[in-house]
Amino acid sequence: MDTIVAHGSAGMGESPGSVPTAADVRDQLARIISSAEFPKGGRGPAFLSFVVEESLAGRGQRLKGYTIAVEVFKRGEDFTQDDPVVRIEAGRLRRALERYYLVAGQDDRVRIDIPKGRYAPSFAWNCPISPAISTAVDTGSKKVGQSWQRRGWLMIGLVGVIGLAALTYWGSERVVEAAKRAGAARLPDEPKLVIAPFANLGDGPKAQLYTAGLTEELLTALPRFKEIKVFGRETSKSLSPQVEASEVRGGLGARYLLAGGVRVAGSKVRVTARLLDTSDGAIIWSQTYDDDLTSRELFVIQSDVASKVASAIAQPYGAIAQAATANPPPDDLGVYDCTLRFYAYRSELTPETHLDARECLESVIARYPGYATGWAMSSILYLDEDRFRFNPRSSQPTPLERALRSARRAIELEPGNTRALQSLMIALFFNQQLAEALQVGEEALALNPNDTELLGEFGTRLAICGEWQRGADLLDRALALNPGGASFYHGARALAAYMLNDTDKAVRLIRKTNLQQFPMFHLVATAIYADAGLLDDARREGEIFMKMRPDYIPNIIEEHRKRNIQPMDNLRMIASLRKAGLPVPSEEDVAAQMLAAAAAKRP
């Protein structure tokens, strides 16, 4: 066969749409095998030569583990799939090819890869994804020839990728100091991963959006793997894309750093990713992905990146850790945009960001009703119409009913989706279905124990239900994994410390919490300061709360009941608010109302 059908763009000197010939592929095979960067020991050269020649002969689709085991590894005809030799060696061969093209073969004309999930190789021109990327950079000279220009842009692109590891001391030092103050540097040296924001190597708003979206998807996908622990999104956002591995090691105590970059040009996207050992900065794993944004391959790429990272950390020569495979959301800029708006709202907790995220997500699930994560996020936003009184709508069903329906829809679509389980847990909690809410929370925790968003929310729900110590422990885990964590975590942990009679810690934490626009923050602060004897602070916070929610205190028993605060904890909190001078009901009235509420619950 003179030509090989392959995917990819034309390389330097090749016409668009052309593919490498058999001669081109054989020349490249010889170049790879003779390279000092390609392992000479083992069966790698024989394995690669066999699958390449079989493909050139038109038998690529018939390449199976049995054939390779018999022909390359000289196994007997009684070979079965229980013998992992072919899978293990295929993984080694893929990594060897990845390293070769990262180092010695970066300028080679032809690229040979062994795609994951099959043994037949692919052949393509090894080239930049689009000439359009090159036009975004100033060469410094308008008279450079076209041939030199192409080579120059290739080098600029390479330097851009390598530059992700450059020093950015001024930024990373601030992160390190903040992490040390949060106690992160004292964490045990367990397998922990920090994800640096992926670098935007393209130009234009679409490039920036996909860059942020990829980082966000990794922050959601990677904690599903139980072999690793992942620092949360606030910590990630506080880093520079160029943060150095040694700074991550010294400041956060993380053993691994995932970094990379994204280029978008027209409908083409190239994602580069690499995993570094922070003890010495060595590259453990690296990969480049080229795809077309008109397909949904971006989400498949992200899932593949997560799987490879988990494999490299946990079992590099064994079976890849299995994670629940989510149905990929649609490849649409609106999906990423709405996801980012949701997390912006969760970070700020303001009516403005709530309305923005709600409208965006409602438009997405109207267009893509099978998008489970969109339903889950919408459920939480509907719930906040009621509990925070953010942008409430008077139409039926009620916000609590809408929240529960949306959460159940998310679970129907994707039972293993952590965000769906989280939304169902909260919706059940505020619909007064506590037993089922906590059961769902336990299920979510078992499925994904390193998701900081879940840890913080479930820890808060457990604490409010009276399990203050366990709730505090989960909140501590959330803060340990996410040193730059949301103020919401600190506020909930401060309340837990107050209920656990750790007055000094409660005061310390409430002072760190920045939720000034959030009414319940001021109520909790009032109780904590009053309990600590800081009456001036308590009165100030109480006055702020009364201005923000004048209707709350006259109905405090019912308001606390809706939030599932337990009777004894309710009494404790009302007593502290009374010390601060808030016009709470008398002890006799509180006791009478609580008895009436308990009687109303009896059948």
Side-chain angles (χ1 to χ4, degrees):
M1 298 176 67
D2 293 328
T3 60
I4 309 298
V5 177
H7 66 276
S9 305
M12 294 176 290
E14 284 75 40
S15 62
S18 68
V19 293
T21 66
D24 292 327
V25 173
R26 289 191 174 100
D27 287 345
Q28 183 63 25
L29 174 64
R31 179 187 294 271
I32 292 172
I33 292 175
S34 63
S35 171
E37 294 297 332
F38 190 80
K40 298 298 185 293
R43 299 282 186 174
F47 193 158
L48 182 60
S49 297
F50 178 76
V51 296
V52 166
E53 289 298 337
E54 286 295 290
S55 292
L56 293 178
R59 296 188 290 270
Q61 297 304 314
R62 295 196 292 271
L63 281 170
K64 304 295 181 185
Y66 177 88
T67 306
I68 296 170
V70 172
E71 296 294 331
V72 178
F73 301 102
K74 308 306 177 185
R75 293 292 200 267
E77 293 183 355
D78 59 346
F79 172 83
T80 69
Q81 295 299 325
D82 292 335
D83 187 338
V85 60
V86 178
R87 295 194 301 276
I88 291 173
E89 291 298 330
R92 288 175 175 164
L93 180 55
R94 290 186 187 101
R95 286 188 288 275
L97 287 170
E98 290 165 3
R99 175 171 175 77
Y100 170 81
Y101 282 107
L102 181 71
V103 183
Q106 55 192 340
D107 294 325
D108 287 5
R109 292 175 62 245
V110 177
R111 185 175 184 104
I112 301 175
D113 284 310
I114 309 293
K116 184 181 177 182
R118 69 181 197 184
Y119 300 119
S122 65
F123 313 122
W125 299 118
N126 187 37
C127 62
I129 62 174
S130 170
I133 294 174
S134 300
T135 63
V137 186
D138 181 9
T139 63
S141 173
K142 296 182 180 179
K143 298 181 180 180
V144 179
Q146 292 299 314
S147 176
W148 170 251
Q149 189 179 43
R150 282 194 293 270
R151 290 195 295 270
W153 293 133
L154 181 63
M155 292 304 297
I156 289 172
L158 177 63
V159 170
V161 174
I162 295 173
L164 295 175
L167 292 172
T168 53
Y169 284 113
W170 69 271
S172 58
E173 284 178 349
R174 289 187 299 174
V175 175
V176 167
E177 289 304 313
K180 287 180 178 178
R181 288 194 296 271
R186 296 191 295 274
L187 293 174
D189 188 19
E190 297 172 359
K192 299 187 188 70
L193 172 70
V194 169
I195 303 172
F198 272 44
N200 177 10
L201 303 178
D203 64 338
K206 186 182 289 188
Q208 179 59 38
L209 190 57
Y210 271 99
T211 301
L214 176 61
T215 306
E216 181 60 44
E217 281 292 311
L218 289 168
L219 284 163
T220 299
L222 281 168
R224 295 174 181 167
F225 296 93
K226 297 181 181 180
E227 291 80 7
I228 59 176
K229 294 184 178 179
V230 183
F231 281 75
R233 63 178 48 84
E234 285 81 13
T235 300
S236 175
K237 285 165 59 178
S238 67
L239 298 171
S240 162
Q242 295 84 25
V243 64
E244 191 168 0
S246 61
E247 293 297 308
V248 170
R249 179 74 166 198
L252 299 174
R255 189 180 302 175
Y256 302 102
L257 169 66
L258 178 65
V262 179
R263 292 190 203 175
V264 176
S267 64
K268 303 295 183 182
V269 61
R270 169 169 286 183
V271 178
T272 61
R274 65 185 184 280
L275 184 70
L276 295 92
D277 185 334
T278 59
S279 65
D280 57 6
I283 297 176
I284 299 171
W285 165 91
S286 66
Q287 180 64 27
T288 299
Y289 301 91
D290 290 343
D291 254 300
D292 190 335
L293 295 180
T294 59
S295 72
R296 298 184 182 184
E297 289 300 310
L298 180 64
F299 298 95
V300 176
I301 288 171
Q302 293 163 357
S303 177
D304 193 40
V305 168
S307 296
K308 287 187 176 181
V309 170
S311 176
I313 293 173
Q315 301 180 53
Y317 299 107
I320 296 176
Q322 296 298 313
T325 303
N327 294 323
D331 188 13
D332 184 277
L333 285 177
V335 173
Y336 273 140
D337 188 35
C338 292
T339 297
L340 298 175
R341 290 186 193 189
F342 173 81
Y343 285 116
Y345 161 67
R346 291 285 285 175
S347 176
E348 298 177 29
L349 286 178
T350 64
E352 294 76 18
T353 54
H354 173 271
L355 182 61
D356 187 39
R358 187 181 70 186
E359 290 179 347
C360 191
L361 281 165
E362 286 183 336
S363 70
V364 165
I365 59 178
R367 285 180 289 149
Y368 307 107
Y371 182 29
T373 302
W375 285 101
M377 291 177 172
S378 295
S379 171
I380 295 171
L381 293 167
Y382 295 153
L383 179 72
D384 291 355
E385 291 180 33
D386 182 86
R387 62 171 172 170
F388 300 153
R389 298 194 174 186
F390 284 170
N391 307 297
R393 293 178 285 198
S394 58
S395 59
Q396 293 295 323
T398 67
L400 290 180
E401 290 170 339
R402 275 186 280 121
L404 189 54
R405 290 181 187 181
S406 296
R408 292 201 186 280
R409 178 60 179 150
I411 292 294
E412 288 172 5
L413 291 168
E414 196 177 320
N417 185 308
T418 301
R419 214 56 64 225
L421 290 165
Q422 177 187 340
S423 70
L424 181 58
M425 173 190 68
I426 308 171
L428 288 166
F429 181 88
F430 283 98
N431 275 278
Q432 304 299 310
Q433 300 178 44
L434 299 190
E436 188 180 352
L438 297 184
Q439 181 180 349
V440 171
E442 297 288 4
E443 179 184 345
L445 185 64
L447 179 69
N448 203 346
N450 298 316
D451 187 302
T452 56
E453 181 93 353
L454 173 66
L455 285 169
E457 195 70 67
F458 186 39
T460 301
R461 300 306 134 218
L462 283 170
I464 294 295
C465 286
E467 296 188 43
W468 290 104
Q469 188 57 62
R470 188 175 176 219
D473 292 342
L474 291 179
L475 284 161
D476 284 340
R477 278 181 60 191
L479 288 165
L481 286 174
N482 194 358
S487 285
F488 173 77
Y489 297 167
H490 289 105
R493 187 61 181 89
L495 179 60
Y498 161 79
M499 289 295 184
L500 292 168
N501 297 309
D502 191 345
T503 305
D504 291 342
K505 186 165 190 175
V507 170
R508 242 184 1 259
L509 286 169
I510 203 66
R511 291 196 190 282
K512 289 177 65 175
T513 306
N514 183 23
L515 291 172
Q516 300 298 322
Q517 80 286 357
F518 189 51
M520 295 306 295
F521 160 76
H522 297 284
L523 186 71
V524 172
T526 301
I528 288 174
Y529 289 141
D531 194 62
L534 302 172
L535 295 182
D536 288 342
D537 291 329
R539 293 188 188 101
R540 181 191 68 247
E541 295 296 334
E543 289 173 1
I544 295 172
F545 177 76
M546 290 296 293
K547 290 178 181 177
M548 297 176 82
R549 286 294 305 272
D551 59 316
Y552 192 98
I553 293 299
N555 302 294
I556 192 169
I557 301 297
E558 176 60 16
E559 292 285 358
H560 282 185
R561 184 198 65 78
K562 286 173 21 181
R563 288 164 173 78
N564 297 303
I565 296 176
Q566 300 302 294
M568 295 307 295
D569 297 329
N570 199 355
L571 289 172
R572 164 88 184 276
M573 197 165 186
I574 290 174
S576 295
L577 297 175
R578 189 178 293 112
K579 287 182 186 177
L582 266 63
V584 295
S586 66
E587 293 181 19
E588 294 78 10
D589 288 345
V590 169
Q593 289 183 49
M594 292 181 70
L595 284 173
K601 285 185 177 181
R602 298 192 193 107

